[in-house]
Amino acid sequence: MKKIKNQYNTHKILEWTFHYVTKSFACIVFLILISILVSLVYASWESIQTFGLSFLWTTDWNPSQNSYGAFVPIVGTLISTCFALIIAVPISLGIATFLTELAPEWAKKTIGLAIEMLAAIPSIIYGMWGLFVFVPYFQENIQPHLIHSLGNIPGIGFLFMDAPFGIGLFSAGLVLAIMIIPFIASIMREVFTVVPHMLKESAYGLGATTWEVIWNIILPYTKTAVIGGVMLGIGRALGETMAITFVIGNAFNLPNSIFSPTTSITSAIANQFNEAAGLQKSALMELGLFLFLITTVVLIASRLLIARITIHEGKH
């Protein structure tokens, strides 16, 4: 009896220890998050006091005059990320559809391996490829034709009117799209495979095409996970540094077209942080704070969207 009681006490202690150890691990996550936020606010406090809210809409960035504004990097970050998503999401959907519905078995393994290899390539390799391979080819062979053929279209022609630098928003968005396609496509492929075969076979039996099965069966069944995959791609695009620094142009100018050189939050920090001091360093830290807030807003928006979808599904 005493032995059983000792075993019970031992198990109780182990259970108590396990509960509080795992609880402490969960709390560490929040402590790290709060410490990062506090550190960013503290490091950028001088800039916050100096510029206030005008820092958000000021376009000037002049270290020689200690004049700094975040509007150009914020615009460059948001436009390049949106441009990357416009390219990456349809391509990722096409890859996932092909691999789950159309590809033969050998192609599924080969293309799946290629996607995983693309996801494993370091970002600096994408940046070097973009700068030394894509940008020269785009500048000489593609961009002049796009400017000539699309620049005169009424209403949208201004989006394509600029000097053929090669570097700029278009190059940055394309490189970012190539970087996030493996992540979004992999998640879409994995969640598409868990759709019950009975649902798909029933739709095919009723005469549905592959596109109708994807649009009416697979996507509604997996939309929560698909949105999560897209949000993962957004997070990767917003936080990317080295690849976009190589190809965006790093010019503190508002873009006049999709070909204009500009800058992003991450590229501005990467280019100037080592030599920054005083107010300039504080302004760069405030840029990092705004990037932190932007990613937080994106995460909250995705959670609200997923919650709304879940509630809507529950009503039906």
Side-chain angles (χ1 to χ4, degrees):
M1 188 72 180
K2 185 177 181 180
K3 184 178 180 182
I4 295 175
K5 186 176 182 180
N6 290 335
Q7 289 179 344
Y8 173 78
N9 291 333
T10 302
H11 286 302
K12 191 174 181 180
I13 293 172
L14 290 174
E15 182 68 22
W16 181 90
T17 303
F18 177 76
H19 173 76
Y20 282 97
V21 167
T22 53
K23 186 177 181 179
S24 65
F25 289 162
C27 292
I28 286 173
V29 175
F30 291 99
L31 290 175
I32 293 173
L33 189 65
I34 293 172
S35 65
I36 291 174
L37 179 60
V38 171
S39 299
L40 288 172
V41 172
Y42 177 78
S44 60
W45 190 247
E46 182 181 1
S47 175
I48 294 173
Q49 287 184 315
T50 303
F51 303 111
L53 289 177
S54 63
F55 185 75
L56 284 173
W57 56 77
T58 301
T59 58
D60 187 34
W61 189 280
N62 193 339
S64 62
Q65 298 181 3
N66 264 345
S67 178
Y68 303 102
F71 191 68
V72 173
I74 290 175
V75 169
T77 299
L78 296 178
I79 293 179
S80 59
T81 300
C82 291
F83 190 64
L85 287 175
I86 292 172
I87 298 174
V89 172
I91 294 177
S92 299
L93 177 60
I95 292 172
T97 301
F98 177 75
L99 291 179
T100 56
E101 300 298 318
L102 301 173
E105 196 63 33
W106 64 268
K108 292 181 181 179
K109 296 180 180 179
T110 304
I111 299 175
L113 179 62
I115 292 173
E116 293 173 0
M117 291 180 64
L118 282 175
I121 294 175
S123 61
I124 194 170
I125 303 299
Y126 283 105
M128 293 172 63
W129 170 83
L131 181 63
F132 297 114
V133 178
F134 172 74
V135 166
Y137 181 83
F138 179 69
Q139 181 184 16
E140 295 176 6
N141 301 299
I142 300 177
Q143 191 173 1
H145 297 290
L146 291 177
I147 294 172
H148 178 73
S149 58
L150 302 177
N152 296 321
I153 299 177
I156 63 170
F158 70 96
L159 294 175
F160 305 94
M161 289 298 295
D162 212 325
F165 295 113
I167 56 175
L169 274 176
F170 183 89
S171 300
L174 184 62
V175 171
L176 284 178
I178 295 173
M179 292 183 65
I180 66 177
I181 281 173
F183 295 93
I184 301 176
S186 296
I187 293 175
M188 286 186 177
R189 180 189 63 176
E190 293 300 324
V191 299
F192 284 4
T193 57
V194 303
V195 178
H197 288 287
M198 184 178 296
L199 292 178
K200 296 189 289 185
E201 294 300 328
S202 299
Y204 283 125
L206 293 173
T209 63
T210 302
W211 169 248
E212 289 172 335
V213 170
I214 291 292
W215 188 254
N216 297 313
I217 304 297
I218 295 179
L219 281 180
Y221 191 89
T222 61
K223 55 188 172 184
T224 301
V226 168
I227 292 173
V230 173
M231 292 302 146
L232 177 63
I234 293 176
R236 176 71 190 273
L238 285 172
E240 180 51 44
T241 302
M242 293 311 300
I244 199 170
T245 301
F246 274 93
V247 297
I248 199 170
N250 304 305
F252 278 88
N253 299 317
L254 284 174
N256 298 318
S257 73
I258 63 172
F259 299 140
S260 298
T262 186
T263 190
S264 68
I265 293 176
T266 54
S267 62
I269 295 173
N271 282 319
Q272 300 189 22
F273 196 79
N274 284 339
E275 301 176 356
L279 186 58
Q280 182 182 5
K281 187 173 183 179
S282 181
L284 291 172
M285 293 301 294
E286 191 172 0
L287 281 179
L289 175 62
F290 281 119
L291 182 60
F292 181 90
L293 295 177
I294 290 171
T295 54
T296 302
V297 170
V298 170
L299 177 61
I300 293 173
S302 65
R303 291 295 182 183
L304 292 175
L305 179 60
I306 291 173
R308 184 176 180 182
I309 291 173
T310 304
I311 294 173
H312 182 72
E313 288 176 345
K315 293 180 179 180
H316 296 280

